[in-house]
């Protein structure tokens, strides 16, 4: 239906399980299958397309049609061509439809991006139909359009602050303060990154990233996270995903001087083994702890 509307076509559908509704369409398919496709050989898809065009123009188009008793090619040139709409050379933008649920933070997730939904008509838990194409994301409820957003890439976010309920404004301002206070306790660099992340007129829209930042400390330890945040801030990267990438690749200490190593402690030469409890055994154990 959307394609026909975009191309300004009129659909004339047949009824389900009613083959007599389209008797004049099916013979054309059988004619092409039996007279051109059946028994033919083709080199590749491009060859079959070229030969199909020649067959339609010079063979099927110049036969006497069984119903009209006219040549289809001549009838097309004389009467039908003038009725066709010109092609604008723009491929049809096929939309993607998804059923989505409004999250407690009044957002919906469409193709790995977040979009706000009106809290008045779409409270948390409401199921909506999302239609997205190259440019827009449209949210429908029961067939009625309730919100339009520009399309965002993966990880992006489109927020209309008017969609949030007024009574949640106080909570929206308190929650970022709680996240920042917890971040400061984990480390100074973590606190600075959280402050940069949640600054702005409406930090509620970035609460998910702030919560993810705190979870990284549980997964990778606060010391490593603090070093990764310091490295990210050094490059002016206020992005929790980039911080996580630094931790995954263990780049938080890259470029920093290595800790001093006691030159008196050296590993055993190759092929030498020490007896448990001996001086060599103690020296080897200390070396393993000092020199990773």
């Amino acid at each position: 239906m959307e394609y026909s509307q975009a191309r300004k076509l009129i659909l004339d559908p047949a009824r389900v399980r009613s083959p007599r509704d389209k008797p004049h369409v099916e013979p054309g398919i059988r004619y092409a299958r039996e007279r051109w496709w059946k028994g033919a050989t083709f080199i590749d898809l491009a060859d079959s397309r070229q030969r199909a065009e020649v067959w339609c123009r010079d063979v099927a188009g110049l036969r006497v049609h069984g119903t009209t008793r006219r040549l289809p090619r001549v009838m097309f040139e004389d009467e039908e061509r003038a009725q066709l709409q010109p092609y604008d050379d723009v491929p049809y933008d096929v939309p993607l439809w998804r059923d989505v649920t409004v999250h407690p933070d009044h957002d919906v997730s469409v193709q790995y991006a977040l979009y706000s939904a009106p809290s008045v008509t779409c409270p948390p838990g409401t199921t909506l139909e999302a239609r997205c194409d190259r440019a827009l994301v449209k949210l429908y409820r029961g067939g009625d359009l309730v919100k339009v957003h520009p399309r965002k890439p993966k990880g992006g976010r489109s927020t209309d602050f008017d969609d949030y309920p007024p009574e949640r404004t106080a909570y929206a301002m308190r929650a970022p303060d709680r996240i920042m206070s917890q971040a400061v306790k984990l480390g100074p660099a973590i606190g600075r990154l959280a402050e940069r992340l949640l600054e702005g007129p409406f930090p509620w829209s970035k609460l998910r990233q702030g919560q993810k930042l705190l979870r990284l400390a549980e997964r990778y330890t606060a010391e490593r996270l603090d070093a990764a945040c310091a490295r990210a801030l050094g490059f002016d990267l206020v992005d929790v995903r980039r911080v996580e990438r630094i931790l995954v690749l263990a780049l938080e200490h890259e470029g920093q001087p290595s800790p001093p190593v006691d030159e008196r402690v050296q590993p055993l030469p190759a092929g030498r083994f020490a007896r448990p409890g001996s001086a060599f055994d103690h020296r080897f154990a200390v070396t393993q702890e000092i020199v990773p």
Side-chain angles (χ1 to χ4, degrees):
M1 181 182 65
E2 289 189 76
Y3 178 78
S4 65
Q5 292 174 349
R7 297 303 188 198
K8 299 179 180 179
L9 305 176
I10 298 177
L11 298 181
D12 186 15
R15 294 173 298 175
V16 179
R17 294 184 297 274
S18 301
R20 293 183 178 275
D21 286 7
K22 50 177 182 177
H24 295 292
V25 178
E26 298 297 341
I29 299 175
R30 183 172 60 252
Y31 174 76
R33 183 182 66 241
E34 299 294 333
R35 300 297 180 91
W36 174 69
W37 186 264
K38 186 175 182 180
T41 57
F42 309 98
I43 299 176
D44 52 18
L45 181 60
D47 177 58
S48 65
R49 287 173 172 170
Q50 181 179 6
R51 294 175 59 181
E53 183 177 356
V54 174
W55 180 82
C56 290
R57 182 182 64 247
D58 300 336
V59 179
L62 296 180
R63 79 187 193 281
V64 178
H65 196 274
T67 302
T68 63
R69 310 308 301 174
R70 300 176 59 183
L71 302 182
R73 177 177 169 182
V74 175
M75 185 176 180
F76 172 77
E77 296 290 348
D78 294 344
E79 301 178 13
E80 296 178 352
R81 178 184 289 275
Q83 305 299 325
L84 295 179
Q85 302 178 41
Y87 178 51
D88 55 7
D89 290 331
V90 178
Y92 176 66
D93 188 2
V94 181
L96 178 68
W97 286 85
R98 287 288 185 272
D99 290 335
V100 296
T101 302
V102 181
H103 298 163
D105 57 0
H106 301 277
D107 286 336
V108 297
S109 177
V110 182
Q111 292 298 99
Y112 307 102
L114 297 177
Y115 303 89
S116 62
S119 60
V120 177
T121 57
C122 307
T126 305
T127 300
L128 304 177
E129 301 85 36
R131 180 195 185 277
C132 58
D133 51 32
R134 295 190 187 98
L136 299 175
V137 171
K138 298 180 180 180
L139 303 179
Y140 295 85
R141 181 180 183 183
D144 297 329
L145 180 65
V146 295
K147 196 66 183 180
V148 179
H149 287 279
R151 179 76 181 270
K152 296 296 182 180
K154 291 183 179 180
R157 188 181 192 125
S158 178
T159 302
D160 184 355
F161 298 139
D162 293 335
D163 291 337
Y164 295 136
E167 63 272 12
R168 297 293 296 274
T169 302
Y171 165 77
M173 301 307 298
R174 288 197 304 267
D177 294 338
R178 181 178 58 83
I179 291 179
M180 284 190 288
S181 63
Q182 293 180 356
V184 171
K185 294 178 182 179
L186 294 174
I190 303 175
R192 291 196 303 270
L193 191 139
E195 184 178 0
R196 292 275 308 274
L197 179 69
L198 298 173
E199 65 183 2
F202 209 95
W204 189 22
S205 61
K206 295 184 179 179
L207 286 183
R208 293 191 184 196
Q209 295 189 46
Q211 295 167 354
K212 182 177 181 180
L213 179 66
L214 299 179
R215 290 195 298 269
L216 291 178
E218 301 176 0
R219 184 182 306 175
Y220 297 100
T221 73
E223 292 76 14
R224 289 191 60 193
L225 177 60
D226 192 64
C229 290
R231 181 175 178 83
L233 290 172
F235 291 96
D236 199 26
L237 296 176
V238 187
D239 190 337
V240 178
R241 291 179 301 168
R242 302 294 290 272
V243 173
E244 183 180 18
R245 186 66 175 172
I246 292 174
L247 292 170
V248 171
L249 299 179
L251 300 177
E252 63 271 17
H253 296 296
E254 184 176 346
Q256 300 181 5
S258 302
V261 179
D262 190 353
E263 297 180 354
R264 297 172 299 174
V265 181
Q266 299 293 334
L268 289 174
R272 295 288 299 279
F273 298 91
R275 296 188 304 274
S278 64
F280 281 113
D281 178 58
H282 176 69
R283 181 185 299 178
F284 185 73
V286 173
T287 304
Q288 290 297 96
E289 294 178 2
I290 297 179
V291 183

